[in-house]
Amino acid sequence: MSMEQSPVPVFARAFRDQLRDLFVWRRDVRHFRSMPIAPDVLTRLLELAHLAPSVGLSQPWRFVLVDDPQRRAAIVENFEVCNAQALRREPTERASAYAKLKLAGLQEAPVHLAVFAEDSTPQGHGLGRRTMPETVRYSTVMAIHTLWLAARAEGIGVGWVSILDPAAVAMTLDVPSHWAFIGYLCLGYPAHADDTPELERQGWQTRTPLQILRR
């Protein structure tokens, strides 16, 4: 007995143009409005993230919503310590520029979401991981990117905070020891929107053109 298949969708040129706009306007947001994200909207975004591709259908991502004020405060302190260390390591000629950058929206963002990968998940029975076990973590990054695009389509911004001590984050959030920390995300409605990365607007770095190596 054959399974009934859904009709294959046809994506029109107008949709493809809008999809490109979505990619262009997907920015790392660090300035948020105080307006909360409705619980059903947040659930919908996470459900879409859960559709991301994963090695061997392992679905290794683990989402942790951080609502507790004390845990959030610990994450903020973690960031401040790590950011101060990063500033001290900057060359003298770049230290002033670094100090002016806003590198996290932890204080303003209404939603904090930590994302972990379960490297040893039995889901998927190890398919595709034996030679490249790191694909579990790559899959988790795909879920983050899916969430990021879905959020932007709803007018919600996402900021990825990477200036954190992963071990301290895991301890603060009291997650299983075999989960690997992948990213800490701030979600909220942007204070302003721009199609140019903030680091480019601030003169920290400019984009480079596409280069393709052929063999």
Side-chain angles (χ1 to χ4, degrees), residues 151-170:
R152 182 63 192 88
E154 300 223 19
I156 294 170
V158 177
W160 186 327
V161 184
S162 61
I163 307 174
L164 292 167
D165 177 350
V169 171

Side-chain angles (χ1 to χ4, degrees), residues 66-78 172-173 184:
V66 185
D67 296 325
D68 180 74
Q70 291 185 331
R71 295 184 197 270
R72 283 197 181 198
I75 295 295
V76 171
E77 182 179 1
N78 183 338
T172 294
L173 302 183
Y184 198 92

Side-chain angles (χ1 to χ4, degrees), residues 71-130:
R71 295 184 197 270
R72 283 197 181 198
I75 295 295
V76 171
E77 182 179 1
N78 183 338
F79 167 79
E80 290 174 347
V81 169
C82 292
N83 195 43
Q85 292 172 347
L87 175 59
R88 288 195 294 270
R89 294 188 184 110
E90 282 296 322
T92 303
E93 65 274 13
R94 293 192 71 91
S96 177
Y98 182 96
K100 294 176 183 177
L101 296 174
K102 181 174 173 59
L103 298 175
L106 292 164
Q107 300 284 8
E108 304 92 343
V111 173
H112 286 205
L113 179 69
V115 186
F116 295 82
E118 185 175 350
D119 290 331
S120 58
T121 177
Q123 172 84 5
H125 309 288
L127 179 66
R129 299 184 242 159
R130 292 186 174 88

Side-chain angles (χ1 to χ4, degrees), residues 11-204:
F11 299 107
R13 175 61 183 269
F15 173 85
R16 299 197 300 272
D17 289 343
Q18 282 194 310
L19 182 60
R20 185 184 186 283
D21 289 340
L22 178 63
F23 294 154
V24 169
W25 282 87
R26 186 235 35 93
R27 301 272 59 88
D28 192 318
V29 176
R30 296 162 193 155
H31 304 267
F32 296 97
R33 295 157 53 195
S34 59
M35 178 179 173
I37 298 175
D40 63 312
V41 173
L42 184 57
T43 298
R44 181 164 65 247
L45 295 180
L46 292 173
E47 287 175 343
L48 289 171
H50 197 56
L51 294 175
S54 61
V55 60
L57 197 57
S58 57
Q59 297 176 297
W61 41 80
R62 304 292 180 259
F63 299 122
V64 179
L65 282 171
V66 185
D67 296 325
D68 180 74
Q70 291 185 331
R71 295 184 197 270
R72 283 197 181 198
I75 295 295
V76 171
E77 182 179 1
N78 183 338
F79 167 79
E80 290 174 347
V81 169
C82 292
N83 195 43
Q85 292 172 347
L87 175 59
R88 288 195 294 270
R89 294 188 184 110
E90 282 296 322
T92 303
E93 65 274 13
R94 293 192 71 91
S96 177
Y98 182 96
K100 294 176 183 177
L101 296 174
K102 181 174 173 59
L103 298 175
L106 292 164
Q107 300 284 8
E108 304 92 343
V111 173
H112 286 205
L113 179 69
V115 186
F116 295 82
E118 185 175 350
D119 290 331
S120 58
T121 177
Q123 172 84 5
H125 309 288
L127 179 66
R129 299 184 242 159
R130 292 186 174 88
T131 54
M132 294 185 65
E134 63 272 22
T135 52
V136 167
R137 302 187 185 191
Y138 298 163
S139 299
T140 304
V141 174
M142 290 295 293
I144 291 175
H145 188 242
T146 303
L147 171 70
W148 211 326
L149 292 174
R152 182 63 192 88
E154 300 223 19
I156 294 170
V158 177
W160 186 327
V161 184
S162 61
I163 307 174
L164 292 167
D165 177 350
V169 171
M171 184 176 297
T172 294
L173 302 183
D174 191 24
V175 299
S177 59
H178 61 283
W179 287 11
F181 176 62
I182 303 300
Y184 198 92
L185 309 179
C186 295
L187 284 78
Y189 292 94
H192 56 264
D194 202 300
D195 63 350
T196 303
E198 184 167 347
L199 291 180
E200 188 168 359
R201 297 199 310 271
Q202 296 296 328
W204 181 262

